[in-house]
């Protein structure tokens, strides 16, 4: 500017913090550069001096050990031989001199020939003692650095000396040649450091705006005084949500601790959640009102843009609590709206009638009433629609004290018609009782208890009926004790609004309870109530429906011919009545298919077709595709073979008699209903006492753990071979059963038995008619051995007919087996796949009555197919058993056409 000298400009510039820092940094850089230069020069001189000494020693030792040196020293004229040799070596080695001398120090060679024959200048005593000696002396060539090395004879005697070295002038010349390079490197470093210092000072000048230390100190004092003196809170945060600055007013309004500066807003104790959310959101706020504790704060928030980019916020806060005095009615309305808003979120969080009533009672205490009781019509608790004269059951009680004299929870109450509860329930309109001490109709309900209620301090009541969809479900009672003024008409309307909102959730919970009860009743009626009698396995089972809705899990134990048993477990996708009904259809289908004695893979294939037909018929439920999983296993206690297949179900666990557990390797197969994919079976032998564990995913999978963890817990619970199936079932449930299962849980544990050789008789039948009589006699003897003489006649007839049919219509091989179990089973095996059929023979037919005879003499009979052919079996009830018929054996006169055998 005109009138301003360059000196004043420079003076002002260097009075600033940036200028002072620049001068200081430049001075430090110069000192460092000078020190570095001195250190480099000294180090260089030292290194060159050391290199000169090392080279002198190396050259002297090399020459001292050269071949022919001792012979030259002993020759009549050593100088004639050594002088040219020393000079050529000196020039090749790059040293200034190589001197050879005798033990008296008389030179034999020297770069200056006139010095030959004269005494050597230096110390030779250490070398005469056999040592290598280096020193710096003033010699004929000037100041020299030389090394003296002894020349020794084979016997170790010193016969001469060799000295080599450099003059100091040549050593200093090397240093002088390196010095420009050193100076250039230091100059470049000094320039770079100065430029860096200038850049740093420039940035500092821009940040401090060229202010000096006194000006910055004065500005900080003014800023601090103004910041903490204003009656408005000021906050500054960075881009990561940390509190950089808070003045005294902000700390007072927000209740911040003294050490709040520098902490993340989410970690500052005492900071209201809504205020913290606003500050962390970094959004622009203009006169936004936030309730923080008992204060109403007006907040303005703006983004800060240092350097042109947002890196935090600046917030101002004003206390507008005094405005509450002028806006009492608005505040009351706000609180009522907040109560209704909170009630909308807090009531109806579950579809449980009792839980909904408890939420309604809890949300109104203490913000609206001091005590709240909810009385529901008794049918509502089980999901039914209440009638006009239904008794009330106290379902929920909430209050500021627990020692109140109100009716306790769970009590069934028959309110008199004069009580406000009965009037409200009958009319559907809320009843207000301003003064309970002057309410004879209410006091008539229970004079002693009502007197205790009034003496306790409860003085006012609102009885609001729970009315939803035209049906009154119960009554909500709001009691006041702490405030001296009674409930008024405005509070009556608030109570009606609050109860009306809760009534919808209550009715939804009632309807859900009814549907859940119906579905659970349906499913339990479809599941087996008692497992059938069989001797193949010892069985323990457990079923628990989900809390959120009954699903489609099921299990079954189905006796099969030949003392075999089928174990089934399945799971239908979905919950509710539809899943339960579908489960019943699938379980019935499994029973029907099992009666055909089909292998597991064929049964699953037929179930798959059935599920697809259900989908095509539109029974998938809400337009969705029906899905199900199933595991079907057949165990034979005679052969101890187990055959199983699964359709998308979890594989079973096998517990060996020694306690080791493993997951059965079983082909997965697609879930039922997908179609197009075959199912595979696996067959393996089970040791007696093995436990086969079938389950659904609700047992091993839940929200807090995955299937792998659940399976590991299941294996741990089952690894005890000394437990029976019932004990194992209890151990599994204690370890894995969740408190509130979100899916159905089905568990089936079967411990295998065997039908020993003493109860099995088997014969190979020769393929000739004469074998029938032989087998008949063998069977009679076996029955006598088993004490079943009463069944001998019928058994002989059955075997005669079945073996004759196998020989006449079947193919070899033919085999007969008798099983003595809960029934006597006769089995005839042959290699033909042609099945016989039961029919009524005409009077003119010569045959066709054999199977009819078998059907009349046996309790059950049938055919099953094997890979080798077929088996025709017939079961007879054992004498004295519960199923043994009391009538005598059928007369043979009805079968006159039976051919003699």
């Amino acid at each position: 500017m005109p009138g301003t000298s360059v000196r004043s400009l420079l003076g002002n510039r260097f009075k600033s913090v940036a200028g002072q820092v620049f001068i200081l940094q430049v001075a430090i850089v110069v000192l460092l550069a000078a020190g570095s230069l001195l250190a480099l020069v000294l180090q260089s001189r030292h290194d060159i001096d050391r290199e000169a000494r090392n080279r002198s020693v190396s050259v002297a030792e090399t020459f001292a050990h050269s071949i022919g040196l001792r012979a030259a020293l002993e020759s009549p004229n050593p100088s004639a031989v050594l002088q040219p040799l020393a000079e050529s070596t000196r020039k090749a080695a790059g040293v200034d001199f190589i001197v050879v001398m005798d033990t008296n120090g008389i030179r034999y060679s020297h770069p200056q020939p006139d010095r030959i024959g004269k005494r050597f200048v230096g110390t030779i005593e250490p070398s005469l003692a056999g040592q290598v000696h280096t020193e710096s002396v003033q010699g004929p060539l000037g100041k020299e650095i030389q090394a003296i090395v002894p020349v020794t004879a084979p016997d170790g005697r010193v016969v001469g000396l060799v000295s080599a070295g450099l003059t100091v002038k040549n050593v200093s010349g090397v240093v002088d040649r390196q010095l420009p390079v050193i100076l250039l490197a230091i100059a470049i470093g000094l320039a770079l450091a100065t430029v860096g210092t200038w850049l740093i000072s420039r940035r500092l000048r821009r940040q401090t705006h060229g202010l000096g230390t006194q000006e910055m100190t004065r500005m900080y004092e003014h800023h601090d005084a103004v910041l903490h003196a204003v009656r408005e809170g000021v906050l500054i945060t960075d881009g990561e949500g940390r509190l950089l600055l808070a003045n005294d007013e902000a700390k007072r309004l927000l209740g911040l601790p003294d050490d709040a500066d520098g902490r993340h807003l989410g970690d500052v104790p005492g900071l209201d959640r809504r205020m913290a959310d606003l500050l962390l959101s970094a959004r622009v706020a203009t006169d936004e009102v936030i309730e923080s504790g008992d204060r109403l704060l007006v907040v303005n928030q703006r983004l800060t843009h240092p350097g042109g980019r947002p890196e935090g916020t600046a917030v101002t806060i004003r206390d507008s609590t005094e405005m509450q005095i002028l806006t009492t009615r608005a505040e009351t309305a706000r609180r009522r709206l907040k109560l209704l808003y909170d009630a909308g979120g807090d009531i109806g969080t579950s579809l449980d009638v009792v839980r909904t009533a408890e939420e309604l009672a809890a949300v109104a205490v203490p913000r609206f009433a001091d005590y709240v009781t909810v009385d529901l019509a008794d049918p509502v608790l089980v999901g039914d629609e209440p009638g006009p004269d239904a008794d009330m059951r106290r379902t929920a009680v909430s209050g500021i004290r627990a020692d109140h004299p109100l009716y306790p929870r769970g009590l069934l109450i028959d309110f008199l018609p004069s009580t406000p509860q009965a009037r409200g329930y009958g009319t559907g309109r809320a009843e207000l009782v301003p003064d309970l001490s002057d309410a004879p109709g209410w006091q008539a309900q229970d004079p002693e208890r009502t007197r205790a209620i009034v003496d306790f301090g409860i003085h006012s009541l609102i009885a609001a009926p729970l009315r939803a969809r035209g049906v009154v479900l119960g009554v909500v009672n709001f009691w006041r004790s702490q405030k001296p003024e009674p409930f008024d008409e405005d509070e009556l309307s608030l109570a009606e609004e609050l109860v009306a909102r809760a009534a919808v959730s209550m009715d939804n919970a009632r309807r859900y309870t009814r549907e859940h009860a119906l579905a659970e009743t349906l499913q339990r009626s479809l599941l087996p109530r008692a497992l059938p009698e069989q001797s193949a396995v010892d069985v323990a089972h457990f079923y628990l429906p989900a809390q959120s809705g009954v699903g489609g899990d099921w299990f079954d134990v189905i006796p099969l011919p030949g003392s075999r048993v089928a174990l089934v477990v399945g799971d239908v996708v979905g919950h509710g009545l539809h899943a339960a009904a579908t489960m019943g259809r699938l379980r019935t289908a499994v029973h029907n298919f099992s009666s055909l004695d089909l292998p597991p893979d064929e049964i699953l294939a037929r179930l798959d077709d059935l599920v697809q037909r259900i989908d095509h018929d539109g029974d998938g439920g809400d337009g969705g595709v029906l899905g199900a999983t199933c595991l079907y296993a057949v165990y034979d206690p005679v052969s101890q073979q187990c055959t199983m297949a699964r359709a998308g179900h979890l594989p079973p666990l096998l517990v060996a008699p020694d306690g080791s557990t493993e997951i059965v390797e079983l082909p997965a197969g697609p879930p039922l209903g997908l179609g197009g994919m075959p199912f595979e079976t696996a067959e393996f032998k089970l040791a007696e006492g093995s436990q086969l564990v079938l389950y659904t995913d609700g047992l091993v999978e839940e929200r807090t753990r995955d299937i792998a963890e659940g399976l590991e817990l299941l294996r741990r619970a089952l690894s005890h071979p000394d437990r029976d199936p019932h004990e194992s079932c209890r151990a599994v449930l204690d370890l894995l059963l969740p408190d509130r299962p979100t899916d159905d849980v089905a568990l089936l544990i079967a411990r295998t038995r065997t039908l020993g050789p003493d109860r099995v008789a088997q014969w190979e039948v020769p393929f000739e008619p004469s074998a029938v009589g032989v087998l008949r006699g063998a069977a009679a003897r076996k029955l006598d051995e088993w004490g079943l003489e009463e069944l001998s006649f019928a058994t002989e007839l059955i075997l005669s007919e079945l073996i004759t049919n196998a020989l006449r219509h079947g193919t070899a091989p033919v085999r007969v087996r008798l099983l003595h179990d809960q029934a006597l089973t006769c089995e005839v095996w042959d290699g033909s796949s042609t099945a016989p059929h039961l029919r009524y023979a005409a009077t003119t037919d010569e045959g066709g009555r054999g199977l009819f005879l078998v059907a009349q003499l046996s309790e059950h009979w049938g055919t099953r197919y094997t890979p080798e052919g077929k088996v025709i079996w017939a079961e007879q009830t054992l004498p004295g058993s519960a199923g043994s018929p009391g009538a005598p054996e059928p007369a043979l006169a009805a079968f006159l056409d039976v051919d003699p055998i």
Side-chain angles (χ1 to χ4, degrees):
M1 295 179 60
T4 303
S5 64
V6 175
R7 183 174 181 179
S8 63
L9 288 175
L10 293 175
N12 292 334
R13 177 179 295 272
F14 290 113
K15 287 181 180 179
S16 67
V17 174
Q20 295 175 6
V21 171
F22 175 76
I23 294 175
L24 179 61
Q25 289 179 332
V26 169
I28 292 174
V29 170
V30 171
L31 289 176
L32 290 176
S36 299
L37 176 61
L38 178 61
L40 287 172
V41 169
L42 294 177
Q43 183 65 34
S44 178
R45 288 185 179 275
H46 175 267
D47 292 343
I48 293 174
D49 179 81
R50 183 179 58 188
E51 177 65 21
R53 292 177 182 271
N54 291 339
R55 187 189 297 180
S56 300
V57 170
S58 176
V59 172
E61 285 186 340
T62 301
F63 196 88
H65 294 85
S66 60
I67 300 174
L69 179 61
R70 290 195 305 272
L73 289 173
E74 295 173 357
S75 63
N77 188 8
S79 295
V81 177
L82 296 176
Q83 174 66 12
L85 182 61
E87 283 301 301
S88 61
T89 302
R90 176 183 67 81
K91 294 177 181 179
V95 295
D96 289 335
F97 61 90
I98 295 177
V99 176
V100 182
M101 66 196 84
D102 59 10
T103 55
N104 296 320
I106 303 301
R107 300 188 185 98
Y108 292 141
S109 68
H110 195 274
Q112 297 177 0
D114 58 340
R115 299 288 182 173
I116 297 174
K118 295 182 179 180
R119 187 174 182 82
F120 176 74
V121 179
T123 304
I124 63 174
E125 286 76 11
S127 299
L128 292 175
Q131 299 178 2
V132 176
H133 177 67
T134 60
E135 61 183 353
S136 177
V137 299
Q138 184 67 35
L141 300 179
K143 189 170 180 61
E144 301 170 345
I145 297 174
Q146 60 185 9
I148 306 168
V149 177
V151 180
T152 58
D155 56 0
R157 180 172 47 84
V158 177
V159 297
L161 300 173
V162 176
S163 175
L166 297 170
T167 60
V168 175
K169 176 180 64 176
N170 290 336
V171 173
S172 301
V174 174
V175 176
D176 294 339
R177 288 193 299 272
Q178 293 180 351
L179 187 60
V181 178
I182 297 174
L183 291 176
L184 178 60
I186 291 176
I188 293 174
L190 180 60
L192 292 176
T194 305
V195 171
T197 301
W198 177 77
L199 293 175
I200 294 173
S201 300
R202 182 183 178 186
R203 180 176 180 84
L204 183 61
R205 185 182 303 111
R206 185 169 61 251
Q207 292 178 345
T208 58
H209 300 283
L211 298 177
T213 54
Q214 294 181 353
E215 294 172 331
M216 293 184 65
T217 302
R218 185 166 56 253
M219 179 178 293
Y220 173 79
E221 291 173 351
H222 293 170
H223 166 271
D224 190 63
V226 173
L227 181 67
H228 295 287
V230 296
R231 301 301 299 170
E232 187 169 290
V234 178
L235 298 173
I236 298 178
T237 66
D238 63 5
E240 298 180 355
R242 287 186 175 84
L243 183 62
L244 300 181
L245 182 143
N247 66 350
D248 295 341
E249 183 67 8
K251 293 181 178 179
R252 185 184 70 84
L253 294 177
L254 300 179
L256 302 180
D258 294 335
D259 60 346
D261 292 350
R263 301 175 67 174
H264 193 273
L265 291 171
D267 301 332
V268 176
L271 184 60
D272 185 78
R273 179 181 57 81
R274 286 168 293 184
M275 178 64 72
D277 292 342
L278 173 60
L279 298 178
L280 290 172
S281 67
R283 60 180 175 84
V284 175
T286 302
D287 291 337
E288 186 167 329
V289 179
I290 292 182
E291 182 181 5
S292 177
D294 57 350
R295 302 179 186 274
L296 282 180
L297 303 179
V298 180
V299 182
N300 289 273
Q301 181 169 260
R302 294 292 184 273
L303 298 177
T304 58
H305 297 272
R309 59 186 181 279
E311 290 187 358
T313 60
V315 184
T316 60
I317 304 173
R318 299 195 309 274
D319 186 4
S320 61
T321 307
E322 294 79 4
M323 296 177 60
Q324 295 180 4
I325 301 175
L326 304 176
T327 58
T328 303
R329 296 183 63 86
E331 177 64 18
T332 302
R334 185 194 65 81
R335 290 181 178 177
R336 292 180 177 179
L337 290 175
K338 189 174 186 301
L339 174 62
L340 295 175
Y341 175 79
D342 292 343
D346 296 342
I347 300 175
T349 59
S350 66
L351 291 174
D352 183 81
V353 173
V354 176
R355 178 61 181 165
T356 303
E358 292 173 347
E359 292 170 348
L360 171 58
V363 78
V365 177
R367 290 188 291 176
F368 179 67
D370 298 319
Y371 299 92
V372 175
T373 58
V374 181
D375 302 324
L376 296 180
D378 207 35
V380 174
L381 297 174
V382 293
D384 295 336
E385 192 170 293
D389 299 326
D391 289 340
M392 299 288 180
R393 188 174 296 276
R394 183 137 294 178
T395 309
V397 178
S398 180
I400 57 176
R401 291 174 57 182
D403 57 345
H404 56 78
L406 300 171
Y407 282 135
R409 175 181 172 182
L411 183 67
L412 187 64
I413 308 171
D414 182 13
F415 287 106
L416 297 179
S418 62
T419 59
Q421 289 88 351
R423 293 197 302 270
Y425 182 78
T427 62
R429 294 189 298 271
E431 293 281 333
L432 172 62
V433 184
D435 187 3
L436 291 176
S437 62
D438 187 20
W442 171 73
Q443 295 175 1
Q445 171 70 30
D446 187 345
E448 184 178 351
R449 185 175 293 273
T450 56
R451 189 180 307 111
I453 292 174
V454 173
D455 294 342
F456 185 74
I458 299 176
H459 58 83
S460 187
L461 166 67
I462 292 178
L466 276 162
R467 183 184 179 92
R469 301 179 179 94
V471 178
V472 180
L473 306 176
V475 179
V476 182
N477 305 295
F478 301 94
W479 311 84
R480 174 169 287 179
S481 63
Q482 283 195 329
K483 291 184 179 180
E485 64 273 9
F487 288 114
D488 56 23
E489 292 295 331
D490 290 340
E491 291 167 325
L492 177 64
S493 62
L494 175 60
E496 290 177 332
E497 178 68 20
L498 176 62
V499 173
R501 295 192 178 193
V504 177
S505 299
M506 186 71 69
D507 191 55
N508 290 337
R510 179 190 67 83
R511 291 169 179 264
Y512 173 79
T513 300
R514 180 181 61 185
E515 181 180 348
H516 182 79
L518 289 175
E520 185 174 350
T521 302
L522 173 62
Q523 183 163 29
R524 289 195 180 276
S525 66
L526 295 174
L527 288 172
R529 298 183 181 180
L531 296 181
E533 293 185 4
Q534 46 80 36
S535 57
V537 290
D538 292 326
V539 178
H541 60 88
F542 176 81
Y543 171 77
L544 180 66
Q547 292 289 336
S548 58
V550 175
D553 292 13
W554 91 91
F555 63 91
D556 225 327
V557 177
I558 306 172
L560 297 177
S563 298
R564 297 171 301 137
V565 67
L567 305 174
V568 191
V569 67
D571 185 2
V572 176
V573 175
H575 295 83
L577 288 172
H578 175 73
T582 304
M583 178 273 292
R585 297 175 67 176
L586 292 181
R587 180 170 177 260
T588 302
V590 170
H591 272 267
N592 293 334
F593 296 150
S594 298
S595 65
L596 300 176
D597 217 343
L598 300 174
D601 56 338
E602 291 191 27
I603 288 182
L604 293 182
R606 297 193 181 211
L607 287 176
D608 185 57
D609 293 338
L610 174 62
V611 174
Q612 291 183 64
R613 286 198 300 273
I614 294 176
D615 279 338
H616 293 159
D617 293 341
D619 290 344
D622 300 331
V625 177
L626 179 68
T629 64
C630 184
L631 173 64
Y632 189 93
V634 176
Y635 172 68
D636 187 349
V638 178
S639 64
Q640 297 180 257
Q641 293 293 325
C642 182
T643 305
M644 64 175 63
R646 64 184 177 121
H649 202 83
L650 292 173
L653 259 70
L654 180 62
V655 184
D658 61 357
S660 60
T661 62
E662 62 174 332
I663 298 176
V664 179
E665 295 293 336
L666 188 62
L672 300 177
L674 295 184
M677 296 291 291
F679 298 96
E680 299 181 54
T681 60
E683 185 172 355
F684 45 90
K685 190 170 184 178
L686 298 181
E688 183 177 6
S690 300
Q691 293 189 22
L692 198 60
V693 183
L694 285 67
Y695 53 91
T696 57
D697 57 357
L699 179 67
V700 296
E701 184 181 19
E702 62 168 329
R703 296 173 182 173
T704 59
R705 64 169 182 256
D706 56 13
I707 291 182
E709 183 181 355
L711 289 175
E712 184 59 33
L713 291 176
L714 181 60
R715 295 176 61 147
R716 187 190 310 169
L718 293 170
S719 58
H720 296 276
D722 55 330
R723 294 174 178 166
D724 61 22
H726 295 279
E727 294 174 340
S728 297
C729 188
R730 285 194 296 270
V732 169
L733 297 178
D734 292 341
L735 188 60
L736 279 90
L737 189 65
D739 296 333
R740 294 180 62 86
T742 58
D743 195 5
D744 289 13
V745 175
L747 174 64
L748 184 67
I749 300 179
R751 184 170 63 185
T752 60
R753 296 177 178 175
T754 59
L755 198 62
D758 58 331
R759 289 180 171 266
V760 180
Q762 183 170 314
W763 301 276
E764 298 292 334
V765 181
F767 203 75
E768 55 187 23
S770 60
V772 178
V774 177
L775 263 296
R776 192 170 56 196
R781 289 190 295 273
K782 179 56 70 173
L783 292 180
D784 291 341
E785 180 183 336
W786 286 342
L788 302 177
E789 297 85 353
E790 298 180 27
L791 301 179
S792 295
F793 182 72
T795 303
E796 290 182 31
L797 286 178
I798 291 173
L799 287 177
S800 297
E801 290 297 334
L802 297 182
I803 296 173
T804 300
N805 284 339
L807 295 176
R808 182 178 299 174
H809 305 290
T811 60
V814 178
R815 191 166 70 249
V816 173
R817 187 171 72 171
L818 295 180
L819 302 178
H820 180 199
D821 195 9
Q822 293 184 343
L824 178 63
T825 304
C826 302
E827 296 179 340
V828 177
W829 309 57
D830 70 83
S832 173
S833 59
T834 303
H837 297 283
L838 181 64
R839 65 184 181 89
Y840 286 95
T843 56
T844 57
D845 290 343
E846 295 183 1
R849 296 178 179 85
L851 285 181
F852 185 77
L853 175 63
V854 172
Q856 293 297 315
L857 294 175
S858 63
E859 187 74 18
H860 304 285
W861 77 278
T863 304
R864 72 173 182 271
Y865 294 93
T866 66
E868 297 81 15
K870 68 176 182 295
V871 181
I872 303 178
W873 55 270
E875 288 185 356
Q876 301 176 74
T877 305
L878 299 179
S881 63
S884 177
E889 294 182 359
L892 295 181
F895 313 104
L896 297 178
D897 62 337
V898 176
D899 298 330
I901 301 176

